Amino acid sequence: MPASGTFSWGFEYAARFDIEALGAVVSKGITRYSRQGNAQPRVAETPMGMLNSIGLQSVGLDKVIDELAPQWARWDVPVIANVAADTIDEFGEMARALDGVPGIAALELNISCPNVDAGGIEIGQDPVASGRATEAAVRNTELPVIVKLTPNVTDPAALARACVDAGASAICAINTVLGLAIDTRLRRPVLPRARGGLSGPAIKPIALRMVYDVAQAVSVPVIGCGGIESAEDAVEFLMAGATAIQVGTASFANPNALQEIIDGLDQWLVCEGIEDVHEIIGCAQPVHA
Ligand SMILES: Cc1cc2nc3c(=O)[nH]c(=O)nc-3n(C[C@H](O)[C@H](O)[C@H](O)COP(=O)(O)O)c2cc1C
């Protein structure tokens, strides 16, 4: 799958390659009302990755339901709506509004955005608030609810357990890692909000460790995300315990990255003589049943 926010609403890529080859399309973060996002500059390049502070620029829920979802409904590939809310109650309201909308197959709750004043990381860093946000969504929809975790915590397994206890169908790990870049000429941070979210290959070991920990803590599927740019990277995440993967920043540098990873994964399995990918899922875990 593409990672939320790096694939827009899917239409541009649909014109470029066969998106039906994907497991799912994940939408950009959807907010209740349309938002402009943060001031420029919103991105800064870093060694082996990038910092972003987009701040959830979004068209808003109504436009997604009225204009985008009907187009998604014509695709065979399922579309997962990535949902961002300012409050726990708003997660519930948005889940209710998206419930039963043709073209939307599941929700991914973004309780992990580091670039907004409310609703993001401060919910996602607290297991109690994370559980309540999950519960609010689950109570209001028949759709599967995936919860996307932040890596900016000391105990991701506790967060994952809180979300699963509250009814999450799957966990996605990870959103971006908090970071900072300084413009030495201007003597101040490059990004207007100072901190940004680090993504790309630099965060792969962090993401991999989180998937490894979370997969041990919960029995629902774990979606691995963070720094994946090759089939070999994808295999590492599957071995750590992920049953699916998302690719974000890699697509900015190489718009064919998703297709290359899908093809590369097939080739890797053939080369290794593996008939069913499930044979390797979680095989690097300490106890492999
Ligand atoms: C420009 C940009 C925008 C993003 N927007 C969102 C978003 O709207 N919702 C979300 O849950 N994650 C968002 N993310 C986080 C990614 O989905 C992903 O979790 C993160 O970038 C790590 O994966 P990667 O290293 O493959 O990019 C964004 C990331 C980037 C780089």
Side-chain angles (χ1 to χ4, degrees), residues 219-237:
S219 51
V220 299
V222 178
I223 302 167
C225 176
I228 298 170
E229 50 173 19
S230 69
E232 192 83 21
D233 292 337
V235 169
E236 281 191 68
F237 277 80

PDB file of all heavy atoms in Angstrom, residues 219-237:
ATOM      1  N   SER A 219      -2.618  -9.529  18.676  1.00  0.00           N
ATOM      2  CA  SER A 219      -2.887 -10.658  17.771  1.00  0.00           C
ATOM      3  C   SER A 219      -3.575 -10.222  16.478  1.00  0.00           C
ATOM      4  O   SER A 219      -3.887 -11.057  15.636  1.00  0.00           O
ATOM      5  CB  SER A 219      -3.718 -11.713  18.489  1.00  0.00           C
ATOM      6  OG  SER A 219      -4.831 -11.087  19.063  1.00  0.00           O
ATOM      7  N   VAL A 220      -3.815  -8.919  16.304  1.00  0.00           N
ATOM      8  CA  VAL A 220      -4.400  -8.432  15.047  1.00  0.00           C
ATOM      9  C   VAL A 220      -3.263  -8.179  14.048  1.00  0.00           C
ATOM     10  O   VAL A 220      -2.090  -8.090  14.444  1.00  0.00           O
ATOM     11  CB  VAL A 220      -5.213  -7.127  15.262  1.00  0.00           C
ATOM     12  CG1 VAL A 220      -6.363  -7.356  16.232  1.00  0.00           C
ATOM     13  CG2 VAL A 220      -4.312  -5.992  15.726  1.00  0.00           C
ATOM     14  N   PRO A 221      -3.597  -8.049  12.749  1.00  0.00           N
ATOM     15  CA  PRO A 221      -2.534  -7.782  11.763  1.00  0.00           C
ATOM     16  C   PRO A 221      -1.807  -6.458  12.032  1.00  0.00           C
ATOM     17  O   PRO A 221      -2.410  -5.488  12.491  1.00  0.00           O
ATOM     18  CB  PRO A 221      -3.306  -7.705  10.437  1.00  0.00           C
ATOM     19  CG  PRO A 221      -4.580  -8.442  10.673  1.00  0.00           C
ATOM     20  CD  PRO A 221      -4.909  -8.235  12.119  1.00  0.00           C
ATOM     21  N   VAL A 222      -0.508  -6.459  11.724  1.00  0.00           N
ATOM     22  CA  VAL A 222       0.305  -5.244  11.852  1.00  0.00           C
ATOM     23  C   VAL A 222       0.764  -4.847  10.452  1.00  0.00           C
ATOM     24  O   VAL A 222       1.281  -5.678   9.698  1.00  0.00           O
ATOM     25  CB  VAL A 222       1.523  -5.486  12.764  1.00  0.00           C
ATOM     26  CG1 VAL A 222       2.392  -4.230  12.854  1.00  0.00           C
ATOM     27  CG2 VAL A 222       1.079  -5.928  14.148  1.00  0.00           C
ATOM     28  N   ILE A 223       0.539  -3.578  10.115  1.00  0.00           N
ATOM     29  CA  ILE A 223       0.987  -3.040   8.822  1.00  0.00           C
ATOM     30  C   ILE A 223       2.292  -2.294   9.078  1.00  0.00           C
ATOM     31  O   ILE A 223       2.336  -1.382   9.898  1.00  0.00           O
ATOM     32  CB  ILE A 223      -0.067  -2.075   8.236  1.00  0.00           C
ATOM     33  CG1 ILE A 223      -1.410  -2.793   8.064  1.00  0.00           C
ATOM     34  CG2 ILE A 223       0.424  -1.486   6.916  1.00  0.00           C
ATOM     35  CD1 ILE A 223      -2.582  -1.851   7.783  1.00  0.00           C
ATOM     36  N   GLY A 224       3.350  -2.699   8.403  1.00  0.00           N
ATOM     37  CA  GLY A 224       4.661  -2.080   8.608  1.00  0.00           C
ATOM     38  C   GLY A 224       4.849  -0.901   7.675  1.00  0.00           C
ATOM     39  O   GLY A 224       4.523  -0.972   6.492  1.00  0.00           O
ATOM     40  N   CYS A 225       5.399   0.185   8.205  1.00  0.00           N
ATOM     41  CA  CYS A 225       5.601   1.397   7.418  1.00  0.00           C
ATOM     42  C   CYS A 225       6.760   2.184   8.007  1.00  0.00           C
ATOM     43  O   CYS A 225       6.846   2.342   9.222  1.00  0.00           O
ATOM     44  CB  CYS A 225       4.320   2.236   7.470  1.00  0.00           C
ATOM     45  SG  CYS A 225       4.457   3.840   6.641  1.00  0.00           S
ATOM     46  N   GLY A 226       7.638   2.681   7.146  1.00  0.00           N
ATOM     47  CA  GLY A 226       8.743   3.515   7.617  1.00  0.00           C
ATOM     48  C   GLY A 226      10.035   3.150   6.916  1.00  0.00           C
ATOM     49  O   GLY A 226      10.656   2.131   7.228  1.00  0.00           O
ATOM     50  N   GLY A 227      10.384   3.956   5.927  1.00  0.00           N
ATOM     51  CA  GLY A 227      11.688   3.803   5.283  1.00  0.00           C
ATOM     52  C   GLY A 227      11.791   2.677   4.278  1.00  0.00           C
ATOM     53  O   GLY A 227      12.887   2.363   3.808  1.00  0.00           O
ATOM     54  N   ILE A 228      10.670   2.066   3.915  1.00  0.00           N
ATOM     55  CA  ILE A 228      10.737   0.948   2.972  1.00  0.00           C
ATOM     56  C   ILE A 228      10.933   1.496   1.563  1.00  0.00           C
ATOM     57  O   ILE A 228      10.147   2.325   1.098  1.00  0.00           O
ATOM     58  CB  ILE A 228       9.448   0.101   3.035  1.00  0.00           C
ATOM     59  CG1 ILE A 228       9.294  -0.491   4.434  1.00  0.00           C
ATOM     60  CG2 ILE A 228       9.466  -0.994   1.964  1.00  0.00           C
ATOM     61  CD1 ILE A 228       7.951  -1.158   4.699  1.00  0.00           C
ATOM     62  N   GLU A 229      12.008   1.056   0.894  1.00  0.00           N
ATOM     63  CA  GLU A 229      12.200   1.514  -0.489  1.00  0.00           C
ATOM     64  C   GLU A 229      12.576   0.394  -1.449  1.00  0.00           C
ATOM     65  O   GLU A 229      12.777   0.642  -2.626  1.00  0.00           O
ATOM     66  CB  GLU A 229      13.179   2.690  -0.577  1.00  0.00           C
ATOM     67  CG  GLU A 229      14.490   2.523   0.124  1.00  0.00           C
ATOM     68  CD  GLU A 229      15.452   3.673  -0.155  1.00  0.00           C
ATOM     69  OE1 GLU A 229      15.011   4.752  -0.589  1.00  0.00           O
ATOM     70  OE2 GLU A 229      16.654   3.461   0.061  1.00  0.00           O
ATOM     71  N   SER A 230      12.642  -0.833  -0.955  1.00  0.00           N
ATOM     72  CA  SER A 230      12.970  -1.951  -1.840  1.00  0.00           C
ATOM     73  C   SER A 230      12.224  -3.202  -1.381  1.00  0.00           C
ATOM     74  O   SER A 230      11.699  -3.253  -0.262  1.00  0.00           O
ATOM     75  CB  SER A 230      14.479  -2.236  -1.796  1.00  0.00           C
ATOM     76  OG  SER A 230      14.818  -2.757  -0.514  1.00  0.00           O
ATOM     77  N   ALA A 231      12.215  -4.206  -2.259  1.00  0.00           N
ATOM     78  CA  ALA A 231      11.576  -5.475  -1.892  1.00  0.00           C
ATOM     79  C   ALA A 231      12.279  -6.097  -0.687  1.00  0.00           C
ATOM     80  O   ALA A 231      11.642  -6.679   0.191  1.00  0.00           O
ATOM     81  CB  ALA A 231      11.608  -6.425  -3.081  1.00  0.00           C
ATOM     82  N   GLU A 232      13.601  -5.950  -0.646  1.00  0.00           N
ATOM     83  CA  GLU A 232      14.377  -6.500   0.487  1.00  0.00           C
ATOM     84  C   GLU A 232      13.922  -5.853   1.808  1.00  0.00           C
ATOM     85  O   GLU A 232      13.777  -6.532   2.820  1.00  0.00           O
ATOM     86  CB  GLU A 232      15.873  -6.217   0.241  1.00  0.00           C
ATOM     87  CG  GLU A 232      16.823  -6.957   1.146  1.00  0.00           C
ATOM     88  CD  GLU A 232      17.102  -8.388   0.658  1.00  0.00           C
ATOM     89  OE1 GLU A 232      16.904  -8.673  -0.535  1.00  0.00           O
ATOM     90  OE2 GLU A 232      17.508  -9.209   1.499  1.00  0.00           O
ATOM     91  N   ASP A 233      13.687  -4.526   1.767  1.00  0.00           N
ATOM     92  CA  ASP A 233      13.168  -3.846   2.965  1.00  0.00           C
ATOM     93  C   ASP A 233      11.814  -4.433   3.348  1.00  0.00           C
ATOM     94  O   ASP A 233      11.531  -4.682   4.521  1.00  0.00           O
ATOM     95  CB  ASP A 233      12.954  -2.347   2.700  1.00  0.00           C
ATOM     96  CG  ASP A 233      14.255  -1.585   2.489  1.00  0.00           C
ATOM     97  OD1 ASP A 233      15.312  -2.063   2.946  1.00  0.00           O
ATOM     98  OD2 ASP A 233      14.204  -0.500   1.868  1.00  0.00           O
ATOM     99  N   ALA A 234      10.959  -4.638   2.342  1.00  0.00           N
ATOM    100  CA  ALA A 234       9.620  -5.173   2.611  1.00  0.00           C
ATOM    101  C   ALA A 234       9.726  -6.539   3.282  1.00  0.00           C
ATOM    102  O   ALA A 234       9.003  -6.827   4.243  1.00  0.00           O
ATOM    103  CB  ALA A 234       8.829  -5.273   1.313  1.00  0.00           C
ATOM    104  N   VAL A 235      10.645  -7.360   2.783  1.00  0.00           N
ATOM    105  CA  VAL A 235      10.829  -8.698   3.359  1.00  0.00           C
ATOM    106  C   VAL A 235      11.221  -8.599   4.834  1.00  0.00           C
ATOM    107  O   VAL A 235      10.731  -9.349   5.678  1.00  0.00           O
ATOM    108  CB  VAL A 235      11.886  -9.496   2.552  1.00  0.00           C
ATOM    109  CG1 VAL A 235      12.292 -10.763   3.288  1.00  0.00           C
ATOM    110  CG2 VAL A 235      11.357  -9.823   1.158  1.00  0.00           C
ATOM    111  N   GLU A 236      12.088  -7.633   5.158  1.00  0.00           N
ATOM    112  CA  GLU A 236      12.479  -7.458   6.567  1.00  0.00           C
ATOM    113  C   GLU A 236      11.256  -7.195   7.441  1.00  0.00           C
ATOM    114  O   GLU A 236      11.131  -7.732   8.547  1.00  0.00           O
ATOM    115  CB  GLU A 236      13.463  -6.289   6.706  1.00  0.00           C
ATOM    116  CG  GLU A 236      14.884  -6.612   6.323  1.00  0.00           C
ATOM    117  CD  GLU A 236      15.829  -5.496   6.749  1.00  0.00           C
ATOM    118  OE1 GLU A 236      16.026  -5.300   7.967  1.00  0.00           O
ATOM    119  OE2 GLU A 236      16.357  -4.792   5.856  1.00  0.00           O
ATOM    120  N   PHE A 237      10.353  -6.340   6.954  1.00  0.00           N
ATOM    121  CA  PHE A 237       9.152  -6.017   7.740  1.00  0.00           C
ATOM    122  C   PHE A 237       8.248  -7.236   7.886  1.00  0.00           C
ATOM    123  O   PHE A 237       7.675  -7.467   8.953  1.00  0.00           O
ATOM    124  CB  PHE A 237       8.398  -4.832   7.111  1.00  0.00           C
ATOM    125  CG  PHE A 237       8.963  -3.498   7.525  1.00  0.00           C
ATOM    126  CD1 PHE A 237      10.095  -2.982   6.919  1.00  0.00           C
ATOM    127  CD2 PHE A 237       8.383  -2.764   8.545  1.00  0.00           C
ATOM    128  CE1 PHE A 237      10.634  -1.768   7.317  1.00  0.00           C
ATOM    129  CE2 PHE A 237       8.905  -1.552   8.955  1.00  0.00           C
ATOM    130  CZ  PHE A 237      10.046  -1.054   8.331  1.00  0.00           C
TER     131      PHE A 237
END
